[in-house]
């Protein structure tokens, strides 16, 4: 008689995150803090602050600009400066992968799988109640710190 030696795998949770107005809601103070921690020179950070705080926009209607208004937060999607968004999004990946509760779905001692492309994030982890609760806590803390709210 042949015995099967298959182990039962833990269930897997897969989350595709949707940031609500990702580029429009990023907090500039948190972006500056991330740039400083990443080693960007103070002069560069000052330039970015000046750029962010001097932004104004107008809505074009039939090619005619309307009233100009100050932009208070966010990055313009498609603008080369919007690549700075990736620095902030990378913080979320680091927080999730460093957490002790969240685990890889197949490998016991491996971190969670986090895939990111621009403002799209995919998280693949072992499905446990504790892991789901902890992931929600991380996402809420990240949103509070950066202004990037997860659209649950």
């Amino acid at each position: 008689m042949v015995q099967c030696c298959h182990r039962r795998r833990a269930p897997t949770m897969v989350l595709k995150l949707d940031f609500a107005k990702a580029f429009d809601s990023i907090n500039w103070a948190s972006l500056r803090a991330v740039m400083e921690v990443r080693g960007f020179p103070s002069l560069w950070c000052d330039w970015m602050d000046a750029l962010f705080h001097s932004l104004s926009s107008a809505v074009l209607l039939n090619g005619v600009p309307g009233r100009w208004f100050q932009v208070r937060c966010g990055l313009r999607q498609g603008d080369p400066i919007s690549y700075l968004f990736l620095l902030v999004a990378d913080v979320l990946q680091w927080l999730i992968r460093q957490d002790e509760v969240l685990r890889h779905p197949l490998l016991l001692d491996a971190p969670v799988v986090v895939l990111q492309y621009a403002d799209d994030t995919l998280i693949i982890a072992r499905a446990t109640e504790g892991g789901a609760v902890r992931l929600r806590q991380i996402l809420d803390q990240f949103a509070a710190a950066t202004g990037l709210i997860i659209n649950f």
Side-chain angles (χ1 to χ4, degrees):
M1 181 190 293
V2 177
Q3 288 187 337
C4 182
C5 60
H6 292 274
R7 285 190 291 161
R8 189 166 181 239
R9 287 192 287 193
T12 301
M13 67 176 161
V14 178
L15 284 92
K16 195 273 183 197
L17 300 183
D18 176 41
F19 294 106
K21 300 182 180 179
F23 290 90
D24 296 333
S25 62
I26 194 165
N27 178 296
W28 288 335
S30 65
L31 175 57
R32 169 136 189 165
V34 169
M35 288 190 299
E36 288 172 346
V37 167
R38 292 290 187 137
F40 282 74
S42 293
L43 182 58
W44 168 268
C45 294
D46 291 344
W47 287 342
M48 292 301 105
D49 276 347
L51 181 65
F52 296 149
H53 292 93
S54 66
L55 292 176
S56 58
S57 293
V59 176
L60 288 177
L61 182 59
N62 295 328
V64 178
R67 222 174 31 87
W68 287 89
F69 57 92
Q70 287 294 120
V71 179
R72 301 264 181 247
C73 64
L75 298 168
R76 290 173 289 197
Q77 192 168 3
D79 186 324
I81 296 295
S82 69
Y83 286 105
L84 294 174
F85 171 86
L86 300 176
L87 294 175
V88 176
D90 188 53
V91 171
L92 177 61
Q93 182 173 154
W94 185 86
L95 289 170
I96 292 170
R97 291 178 56 84
Q98 296 301 312
D99 191 79
E100 294 295 322
V101 175
L102 297 168
R103 302 309 320 145
H104 190 281
L106 300 175
L107 306 172
L108 294 177
D109 293 330
V112 173
V113 177
V114 181
L115 305 171
Q116 289 181 298
Y117 180 75
D119 64 335
D120 293 319
T121 302
L122 187 70
I123 301 168
I124 305 169
R126 185 172 300 135
T128 63
E129 185 176 342
V133 168
R134 183 64 188 131
L135 182 57
R136 178 65 188 251
Q137 289 171 342
I138 291 170
L139 295 174
D140 289 342
Q141 291 168 350
F142 177 77
T146 64
L148 293 173
I149 308 297
I150 308 299
N151 187 3
F152 289 102

